[in-house]
Amino acid sequence: MIEIHDDILREELAKIPPLTREAYFLTDDIAERIDAIMKEKGISKKQLAELTHRRPSDVTRWLGGGHNFTCKTIAMIQLALGEKIVEVVK
């Protein structure tokens, strides 16, 4: 999750409804995880698009943060990257 060090930004962020704020941070964390795996494995956006049979613009949207990922999309990306993006505590 992003750490907020600016008081004004923190005040403005506090005005956003908790559910909206939490959803944004969660999707941002997922995007960061995908990006980290891609960098670790040397996979470009174009290559991920090819692996997932999606358009490069889809990958750009995923990595931009704030994208509302479905479980199916996450599963597709995990299979393409060969690594977990999200794990559920059991």
Side-chain angles (χ1 to χ4, degrees):
M1 182 174 284
I2 300 170
E3 290 185 42
I4 307 299
H5 298 286
D6 183 303
D7 290 336
I8 294 171
L9 184 56
R10 189 177 295 114
E11 288 174 19
E12 291 302 310
L13 192 59
K15 294 177 185 177
I16 298 171
L19 178 58
T20 302
R21 187 175 54 243
E22 188 64 23
Y24 178 81
F25 285 138
L26 181 58
T27 59
D28 194 54
D29 288 345
I30 292 169
E32 286 180 14
R33 174 76 176 133
I34 294 167
D35 188 55
I37 294 168
M38 288 172 62
K39 285 179 180 166
E40 177 185 306
K41 294 186 175 215
I43 296 173
S44 68
K45 290 179 185 179
K46 182 180 178 186
Q47 289 170 316
L48 183 57
E50 290 168 358
L51 290 168
T52 56
H53 306 286
R54 301 296 289 265
R55 297 178 307 233
S57 60
D58 292 331
V59 176
T60 297
R61 194 172 61 252
W62 298 337
L63 298 178
H67 177 74
N68 189 14
F69 291 94
T70 64
C71 290
K72 189 173 182 177
T73 300
I74 292 170
M76 175 183 56
I77 297 168
Q78 287 184 159
L79 287 170
L81 295 175
E83 198 162 330
K84 289 282 189 184
I85 297 167
V86 175
E87 292 201 53
V88 176
V89 178
K90 294 181 181 182

